[in-house]
Amino acid sequence: MQKKQLDQTTAPIVEAIEAFQKQGEISFGIPGHKRDAGIDHLMSGTLGNLMYRNDIPGHHGLDDRKESRGTRLKAEELAAEAFGAKQSFFSIGGTSLSVHVAMLTVADSGEKLIVARNTHKSVIAALLLGEVNPIFLQPEINEEWQIENGITPKSLEQTLSMHPDAKGVFLVSPTVYGITSDTKALADICHSHHIPLIVDEAWGPHFAFHPDLPETAMSCGADLSMGSIHKTMAGLGQASIVNMQGDLIQPDRFKLCLKLFESTSPSSLILASADAARRQMVLEGKALLDRTLSLSTWVRTELSSVEGIHILDRSYLGTPGAKALDITKIVLDISGLGVSGYEASDWIEERYKINFELLNERHLMALLTIADTRQTVEKLVTAVKAMATWAHDREKPTDITLPKLDELYAKCVTSPTKAFFGETEDIPFEQAAGRIAAEMITPYPPGIPRIAPGELINQTVIDYLQKGMQLGMFEESFDPSLETIRVVKR
Ligand SMILES: Cc1ncc(COP(=O)(O)O)c(C=O)c1O
């Protein structure tokens, strides 16, 4: 029987907030600010009162005491239909929380999971929480661009033949650079082994709403995917969606695990923003994204003639692990300018008040979304061109040479959970080669740990991180100066 189509013009959470406002109930419950009555003047002066007025509780707010209206459930059903999933859940803890819950849904303590090594730090955190035994898959690396791509079907087949007892495969697609794996082929391989494919689609929830964007993980047959509605759609910070389909994932287990982590006072503002962002994309997404894509094409044309800058475009595709490209991300390789991405970004930010989503020693990445306009991208083009002129005029180029990405990968020699929670000691970072890491060292952005708990630290990764820091890399580590590192005690 065909499923009845839902009314996508509705937004149950937003409407529940509106209805609650009209009711005008006096609250003797949370939140303590009581819909703006008790807020600090600095906050009301800066943010206004509206945010607080709409920050209403779940019970006696978005829903009644027994949740009998099913407000959140209805919004999630609409989201499932919009994202092409059998079932969807909102998460108010970002895709980080979605990742944690997904991991606990698919693997029990001590079980094996195949995990792409270019995943976000939240995946490593999830491994620690679930005591999962990772079999790391090295992504394909584009040598010329020094970019990590996706996983190839061949490498997944090989790994699965060595680890037939793996409980599932966890990978990131698209990468932060907007490059997708051949998810369809990867899903087929997983299913031929009767295991689920979980795709971290943090950077791709908008794919569901435009035919010229890469295919979604759901439409490629992935069993579970999660996306940051706050990254590429118009959600508030921390709004995320989890989509699932098929029989290899137990939605009930996901729900139970989500309840373990989620606040018992989920933010109505974040939930409403996810609900509204879904509605907006279903109703207007095609037109809005048409504009974003044409703005991206315009920027690409404008910058294509700037000497010393290369723009990642569709000619990149076809290289291993690069099936499709999301062109709303404008990735520039500026290594030909003799400045680092850090220097270029600082120079631009100071003069043009423009910031980039990603910067490293040789790349700058501008993220375009439905919010961009001709005005914002014109400013971007002007700023990048001016920066290029400044860079060409500099007398001494910056040496941005770092060890190559494929030399950084270390062997995972012990359980990440045991390494992290076991006996540890802090030692000088420069003496860490040959020791087993007990913490994550994560250059941010993009948040891919270069050292993970349980890995044998090698000299190349030490050199990479030290030189990176000299150039301006920001690391998330226990010792922010990275003079010391936490390792497993001998
Ligand atoms: C690939 C990837 N996955 C997950 C996350 C976590 O997403 P969130 O910030 O929504 O928690 C990020 C964040 O940058 C990411 O890049």
Side-chain angles (χ1 to χ4, degrees):
M1 200 173 66
Q2 224 189 352
K3 238 177 127 183
K4 194 169 154 262
Q5 274 211 330
L6 303 176
D7 179 3
Q8 292 284 342
T9 63
T10 60
I13 298 176
V14 183
E15 286 153 20
I17 292 179
E18 199 185 0
F20 187 74
Q21 295 302 352
K22 286 189 184 142
Q23 253 171 295
E25 260 182 39
I26 296 177
S27 168
F28 287 98
I30 60 163
H33 60 70
K34 304 217 173 176
R35 278 165 268 139
D36 92 353
I39 62 174
D40 179 72
H41 298 307
L42 182 63
M43 280 300 271
S44 51
T46 310
L47 300 179
N49 291 24
L50 217 49
M51 179 184 78
Y52 285 91
R53 267 187 225 152
N54 294 311
D55 180 34
I56 67 171
H59 295 165
H60 305 290
L62 289 185
D63 215 320
D64 61 19
R65 172 170 81 75
K66 290 185 169 177
E67 296 185 3
S68 62
R69 293 202 287 267
T71 309
R72 180 163 173 179
L73 219 63
K74 284 182 193 155
E76 288 172 336
E77 276 169 13
L78 285 159
E81 186 180 83
F83 285 91
K86 187 169 155 199
Q87 208 165 343
S88 295
F89 297 90
F90 291 142
S91 150
I92 51 150
T95 294
S96 300
L97 181 75
S98 309
V99 163
H100 298 165
V101 178
M103 182 85 72
L104 295 181
T105 305
V106 294
D108 291 339
S109 164
E111 285 184 336
K112 276 186 193 173
L113 202 67
I114 294 175
V115 179
R117 183 57 182 83
N118 59 329
T119 43
H120 183 252
K121 60 179 286 194
S122 55
V123 178
I124 307 291
L127 293 171
L128 300 177
L129 293 170
E131 293 186 65
V132 177
N133 179 8
I135 307 299
F136 282 123
L137 259 179
Q138 188 173 323
E140 299 299 322
I141 289 168
N142 186 299
E143 175 72 18
E144 186 193 341
W145 277 81
Q146 281 302 297
I147 282 181
E148 284 154 318
N149 292 344
I151 301 297
T152 60
K154 188 171 162 209
S155 112
L156 179 60
E157 284 276 24
Q158 278 168 353
T159 310
L160 270 170
S161 67
M162 283 189 289
H163 300 280
D165 51 342
K167 294 294 171 185
V169 175
F170 207 116
L171 50 87
V172 58
S173 179
T175 65
V176 67
Y177 294 100
I179 298 159
T180 67
S181 299
D182 187 350
T183 310
K184 221 173 240 164
L186 297 169
D188 286 348
I189 294 169
C190 287
H191 297 159
S192 69
H193 287 77
H194 311 291
I195 57 170
L197 175 66
I198 299 103
V199 179
D200 177 350
E201 205 175 35
W203 291 100
H206 60 306
F207 290 179
F209 304 101
H210 201 286
D212 296 344
L213 288 167
E215 289 181 278
T216 65
M218 281 288 113
S219 63
C220 291
D223 301 273
L224 193 154
S225 68
M226 52 291 242
S228 293
I229 291 186
H230 70 96
K231 286 193 197 312
T232 65
M233 290 170 57
L236 278 178
Q238 296 187 206
S240 168
I241 179 120
V242 176
N243 298 313
M244 53 187 80
Q245 63 184 356
D247 304 323
L248 294 169
I249 301 278
Q250 302 168 36
D252 290 356
R253 176 155 163 170
F254 181 88
K255 224 171 174 166
L256 286 167
C257 291
L258 182 63
K259 290 274 178 213
L260 294 180
F261 285 101
E262 192 176 83
S263 164
T264 48
S265 322
S267 161
S268 58
L269 296 173
I270 299 178
L271 289 172
S273 80
D275 192 23
R278 179 273 314 157
R279 178 182 182 276
Q280 177 188 40
M281 286 306 242
V282 172
L283 302 185
E284 302 170 72
K286 166 78 174 47
L288 291 168
L289 285 164
D290 270 345
R291 183 181 68 173
T292 315
L293 293 170
S294 80
L295 290 175
S296 169
T297 304
W298 180 80
V299 173
R300 288 160 183 276
T301 310
E302 284 294 308
L303 294 181
S304 62
S305 54
V306 180
E307 210 188 311
I309 294 185
H310 285 105
I311 308 169
L312 191 72
D313 60 23
R314 289 196 173 110
S315 66
Y316 183 92
L317 299 176
T319 58
K323 170 82 176 164
L325 181 72
D326 169 12
I327 66 157
T328 64
K329 300 185 177 75
I330 300 180
V331 179
L332 308 176
D333 184 330
I334 60 163
S335 53
L337 292 176
V339 284
S340 71
Y342 308 111
E343 289 170 310
S345 165
D346 289 348
W347 190 91
I348 289 175
E349 188 165 8
E350 200 176 306
R351 286 158 186 81
Y352 291 86
K353 304 283 173 268
I354 283 179
N355 63 61
F356 292 88
E357 172 54 38
L358 179 141
L359 48 144
N360 62 26
E361 77 284 358
R362 59 187 287 168
H363 302 122
L364 289 177
M365 185 184 86
L367 171 73
L368 300 196
T369 72
I370 56 167
D372 278 292
T373 60
R374 182 71 184 215
Q375 220 178 1
T376 63
V377 297
E378 274 176 3
K379 201 162 173 195
L380 172 70
V381 165
T382 307
V384 171
K385 284 183 174 171
M387 180 277 294
T389 306
W390 161 73
H392 285 306
D393 291 346
R394 289 192 337 153
E395 276 175 14
K396 199 164 166 273
T398 304
D399 174 14
I400 59 158
T401 328
L402 288 185
K404 301 263 174 69
L405 287 179
D406 57 356
E407 296 165 16
L408 304 183
Y409 290 95
K411 222 174 155 172
C412 185
V413 291
T414 185
S415 144
T417 309
K418 285 196 181 122
F420 186 84
F421 291 111
E423 268 204 275
T424 61
E425 58 183 325
D426 296 342
I427 61 163
F429 185 53
E430 59 198 19
Q431 292 170 20
R435 299 296 299 267
I436 300 171
E439 65 162 315
M440 275 186 253
I441 311 286
T442 311
Y444 228 101
I448 300 170
R450 288 299 165 202
I451 293 178
E455 285 182 346
L456 197 62
I457 301 167
N458 61 48
Q459 189 58 47
T460 317
V461 79
I462 295 175
D463 294 344
Y464 174 88
L465 293 168
Q466 284 186 326
K467 175 92 192 281
M469 275 186 92
Q470 283 163 20
L471 288 173
M473 186 187 278
F474 169 71
E475 326 263 13
E476 275 192 357
S477 49
F478 185 60
D479 171 4
S481 69
L482 207 54
E483 279 165 23
T484 63
I485 181 170
R486 186 152 288 197
V487 295
V488 172
K489 196 164 183 174
R490 271 189 178 143

